[in-house]
Short mmCIF file of all heavy atoms in Angstrom, two decimals:
data_model
loop_
_atom_site.label_atom_id
_atom_site.label_comp_id
_atom_site.label_asym_id
_atom_site.label_seq_id
_atom_site.Cartn_x
_atom_site.Cartn_y
_atom_site.Cartn_z
N GLY A 13 -17.75 -29.65 -2.01
CA GLY A 13 -17.12 -30.26 -3.18
C GLY A 13 -16.75 -29.31 -4.29
O GLY A 13 -16.13 -29.73 -5.28
N LYS A 14 -17.09 -28.04 -4.19
CA LYS A 14 -16.73 -27.08 -5.23
C LYS A 14 -15.24 -26.80 -5.19
O LYS A 14 -14.62 -26.84 -4.12
CB LYS A 14 -17.52 -25.78 -5.04
CG LYS A 14 -19.01 -25.91 -5.27
CD LYS A 14 -19.68 -24.54 -5.32
CE LYS A 14 -19.58 -23.80 -4.02
NZ LYS A 14 -20.38 -22.54 -4.03
N PRO A 15 -14.63 -26.50 -6.33
CA PRO A 15 -13.20 -26.18 -6.34
C PRO A 15 -12.93 -24.87 -5.61
O PRO A 15 -13.82 -24.03 -5.45
CB PRO A 15 -12.87 -26.07 -7.83
CG PRO A 15 -14.17 -25.77 -8.49
CD PRO A 15 -15.22 -26.47 -7.68
N ASN A 16 -11.70 -24.71 -5.16
CA ASN A 16 -11.31 -23.49 -4.47
C ASN A 16 -11.52 -22.27 -5.36
O ASN A 16 -11.47 -22.34 -6.59
CB ASN A 16 -9.84 -23.54 -4.07
CG ASN A 16 -9.57 -24.59 -3.00
OD1 ASN A 16 -10.49 -25.20 -2.46
ND2 ASN A 16 -8.30 -24.80 -2.71
N TYR A 17 -11.74 -21.13 -4.71
CA TYR A 17 -11.87 -19.86 -5.41
C TYR A 17 -10.70 -18.98 -4.99
O TYR A 17 -10.59 -18.58 -3.83
CB TYR A 17 -13.20 -19.20 -5.06
CG TYR A 17 -13.40 -17.82 -5.64
CD1 TYR A 17 -13.36 -17.60 -7.01
CD2 TYR A 17 -13.63 -16.72 -4.82
CE1 TYR A 17 -13.55 -16.34 -7.55
CE2 TYR A 17 -13.83 -15.45 -5.34
CZ TYR A 17 -13.78 -15.26 -6.71
OH TYR A 17 -13.97 -14.01 -7.24
N ASP A 18 -9.78 -18.71 -5.92
CA ASP A 18 -8.55 -17.98 -5.64
C ASP A 18 -8.58 -16.63 -6.33
O ASP A 18 -8.83 -16.55 -7.55
CB ASP A 18 -7.32 -18.76 -6.11
CG ASP A 18 -7.19 -20.11 -5.42
OD1 ASP A 18 -7.82 -20.29 -4.36
OD2 ASP A 18 -6.46 -20.97 -5.93
N ILE A 19 -8.32 -15.56 -5.58
CA ILE A 19 -8.27 -14.22 -6.15
C ILE A 19 -7.01 -13.50 -5.66
O ILE A 19 -6.40 -13.91 -4.66
CB ILE A 19 -9.51 -13.39 -5.77
CG1 ILE A 19 -9.60 -13.22 -4.25
CG2 ILE A 19 -10.77 -14.03 -6.31
CD1 ILE A 19 -10.70 -12.28 -3.80
N ASN A 20 -6.64 -12.44 -6.36
CA ASN A 20 -5.44 -11.70 -5.95
C ASN A 20 -5.50 -10.28 -6.51
O ASN A 20 -6.27 -9.97 -7.43
CB ASN A 20 -4.17 -12.40 -6.43
CG ASN A 20 -4.09 -12.49 -7.94
OD1 ASN A 20 -3.68 -11.55 -8.61
ND2 ASN A 20 -4.52 -13.64 -8.49
N GLY A 21 -4.64 -9.45 -5.95
CA GLY A 21 -4.54 -8.08 -6.42
C GLY A 21 -3.34 -7.39 -5.78
O GLY A 21 -2.72 -7.93 -4.85
N PHE A 22 -3.03 -6.21 -6.27
CA PHE A 22 -1.91 -5.47 -5.70
C PHE A 22 -2.10 -3.98 -5.96
O PHE A 22 -2.92 -3.56 -6.78
CB PHE A 22 -0.58 -5.92 -6.30
CG PHE A 22 -0.35 -5.47 -7.71
CD1 PHE A 22 0.37 -4.30 -7.99
CD2 PHE A 22 -0.86 -6.19 -8.79
CE1 PHE A 22 0.57 -3.87 -9.29
CE2 PHE A 22 -0.66 -5.77 -10.09
CZ PHE A 22 0.05 -4.60 -10.35
N TYR A 23 -1.34 -3.19 -5.24
CA TYR A 23 -1.28 -1.75 -5.51
C TYR A 23 0.16 -1.29 -5.29
O TYR A 23 0.93 -1.90 -4.54
CB TYR A 23 -2.23 -0.95 -4.61
CG TYR A 23 -1.83 -0.91 -3.15
CD1 TYR A 23 -0.87 -0.02 -2.68
CD2 TYR A 23 -2.41 -1.78 -2.24
CE1 TYR A 23 -0.49 0.01 -1.35
CE2 TYR A 23 -2.04 -1.76 -0.90
CZ TYR A 23 -1.08 -0.87 -0.46
OH TYR A 23 -0.70 -0.86 0.85
N THR A 24 0.51 -0.21 -5.96
CA THR A 24 1.79 0.46 -5.78
C THR A 24 1.55 1.95 -5.88
O THR A 24 0.83 2.40 -6.78
CB THR A 24 2.81 0.03 -6.85
OG1 THR A 24 3.04 -1.38 -6.75
CG2 THR A 24 4.14 0.77 -6.66
N TYR A 25 2.13 2.71 -4.96
CA TYR A 25 2.01 4.16 -5.11
C TYR A 25 3.25 4.88 -4.62
O TYR A 25 4.01 4.36 -3.78
CB TYR A 25 0.75 4.70 -4.43
CG TYR A 25 0.68 4.66 -2.93
CD1 TYR A 25 1.34 5.62 -2.14
CD2 TYR A 25 -0.13 3.74 -2.27
CE1 TYR A 25 1.22 5.63 -0.76
CE2 TYR A 25 -0.26 3.74 -0.90
CZ TYR A 25 0.42 4.68 -0.15
OH TYR A 25 0.30 4.69 1.22
N GLY A 26 3.45 6.04 -5.17
CA GLY A 26 4.56 6.89 -4.78
C GLY A 26 4.05 8.23 -4.31
O GLY A 26 2.99 8.71 -4.75
N THR A 27 4.80 8.86 -3.40
CA THR A 27 4.42 10.16 -2.88
C THR A 27 5.61 11.11 -2.90
O THR A 27 6.77 10.68 -2.81
CB THR A 27 3.89 10.08 -1.44
OG1 THR A 27 4.98 9.82 -0.54
CG2 THR A 27 2.84 9.00 -1.30
N TRP A 28 5.31 12.39 -3.01
CA TRP A 28 6.33 13.45 -2.96
C TRP A 28 5.77 14.59 -2.13
O TRP A 28 4.74 15.17 -2.48
CB TRP A 28 6.68 13.93 -4.37
CG TRP A 28 7.58 15.13 -4.41
CD1 TRP A 28 8.65 15.38 -3.61
CD2 TRP A 28 7.49 16.24 -5.31
NE1 TRP A 28 9.24 16.58 -3.94
CE2 TRP A 28 8.53 17.13 -4.99
CE3 TRP A 28 6.60 16.56 -6.35
CZ2 TRP A 28 8.73 18.32 -5.67
CZ3 TRP A 28 6.79 17.75 -7.03
CH2 TRP A 28 7.85 18.62 -6.69
N VAL A 29 6.43 14.89 -1.03
CA VAL A 29 6.03 16.02 -0.19
C VAL A 29 6.76 17.25 -0.72
O VAL A 29 7.96 17.42 -0.51
CB VAL A 29 6.36 15.77 1.29
CG1 VAL A 29 5.82 16.92 2.14
CG2 VAL A 29 5.77 14.45 1.77
N VAL A 30 6.03 18.07 -1.43
CA VAL A 30 6.61 19.20 -2.14
C VAL A 30 7.32 20.16 -1.19
O VAL A 30 8.34 20.77 -1.53
CB VAL A 30 5.52 19.95 -2.93
CG1 VAL A 30 6.10 21.10 -3.73
CG2 VAL A 30 4.75 19.00 -3.82
N THR A 31 6.78 20.27 0.02
CA THR A 31 7.32 21.23 0.99
C THR A 31 8.52 20.68 1.76
O THR A 31 9.06 21.38 2.63
CB THR A 31 6.22 21.65 1.96
OG1 THR A 31 5.51 20.47 2.40
CG2 THR A 31 5.24 22.58 1.28
N GLY A 32 8.96 19.45 1.48
CA GLY A 32 10.21 18.93 2.01
C GLY A 32 10.12 18.03 3.21
O GLY A 32 11.12 17.38 3.57
N GLU A 33 8.95 17.92 3.86
CA GLU A 33 8.83 17.04 5.01
C GLU A 33 8.79 15.57 4.57
O GLU A 33 8.75 15.26 3.39
CB GLU A 33 7.56 17.38 5.81
CG GLU A 33 7.53 18.77 6.41
CD GLU A 33 6.92 19.80 5.48
OE1 GLU A 33 6.81 19.52 4.27
OE2 GLU A 33 6.55 20.88 5.96
N SER A 34 8.75 14.66 5.55
CA SER A 34 8.70 13.22 5.27
C SER A 34 7.42 12.62 5.84
O SER A 34 6.86 13.13 6.83
CB SER A 34 9.90 12.51 5.91
OG SER A 34 11.11 12.96 5.37
N ARG A 35 6.98 11.54 5.24
CA ARG A 35 5.93 10.73 5.86
C ARG A 35 6.47 10.17 7.18
O ARG A 35 7.65 9.86 7.31
CB ARG A 35 5.51 9.58 4.95
CG ARG A 35 4.87 10.01 3.65
CD ARG A 35 4.55 8.80 2.78
NE ARG A 35 3.41 8.04 3.27
CZ ARG A 35 3.11 6.80 2.89
NH1 ARG A 35 3.90 6.17 2.04
NH2 ARG A 35 2.05 6.18 3.35
N GLN A 36 5.59 10.02 8.15
CA GLN A 36 5.99 9.51 9.46
C GLN A 36 5.83 7.98 9.50
O GLN A 36 4.98 7.42 8.82
CB GLN A 36 5.13 10.15 10.55
CG GLN A 36 5.23 11.67 10.61
CD GLN A 36 6.61 12.13 11.01
OE1 GLN A 36 7.12 11.79 12.07
NE2 GLN A 36 7.23 12.91 10.13
N TYR A 37 6.64 7.34 10.32
CA TYR A 37 6.58 5.89 10.49
C TYR A 37 6.84 5.56 11.95
O TYR A 37 7.83 6.04 12.54
CB TYR A 37 7.62 5.20 9.61
CG TYR A 37 7.74 3.70 9.81
CD1 TYR A 37 6.95 2.83 9.08
CD2 TYR A 37 8.63 3.16 10.74
CE1 TYR A 37 7.04 1.46 9.25
CE2 TYR A 37 8.73 1.79 10.93
CZ TYR A 37 7.94 0.94 10.18
OH TYR A 37 8.02 -0.42 10.36
N HIS A 38 5.95 4.78 12.55
CA HIS A 38 6.17 4.31 13.92
C HIS A 38 5.26 3.12 14.19
O HIS A 38 4.18 2.98 13.59
CB HIS A 38 5.91 5.42 14.95
CG HIS A 38 4.54 6.03 14.87
ND1 HIS A 38 3.43 5.49 15.48
CD2 HIS A 38 4.10 7.14 14.22
CE1 HIS A 38 2.38 6.23 15.24
NE2 HIS A 38 2.74 7.23 14.46
N ASP A 39 5.71 2.25 15.07
CA ASP A 39 4.94 1.06 15.47
C ASP A 39 4.53 0.20 14.27
O ASP A 39 3.44 -0.39 14.24
CB ASP A 39 3.70 1.45 16.26
CG ASP A 39 4.04 2.11 17.59
OD1 ASP A 39 5.20 1.99 18.02
OD2 ASP A 39 3.14 2.73 18.19
N GLY A 40 5.39 0.16 13.24
CA GLY A 40 5.11 -0.70 12.09
C GLY A 40 4.10 -0.18 11.12
O GLY A 40 3.58 -0.93 10.29
#
């Protein structure tokens, strides 16, 4: 009978590869 407990949060970040390469991405 207790009311629902709702929580939330977020993050945002940026990256810079100084040496010129890229982050890799595969399989989602």
Side-chain angles (χ1 to χ4, degrees):
K14 293 190 297 187
N16 293 353
Y17 175 59
D18 299 342
I19 61 173
N20 62 82
F22 73 95
Y23 69 82
T24 299
Y25 69 79
T27 72
W28 173 40
V29 185
V30 183
T31 46
E33 297 90 343
S34 298
R35 296 177 73 196
Q36 301 294 302
Y37 174 89
H38 56 85
D39 295 345

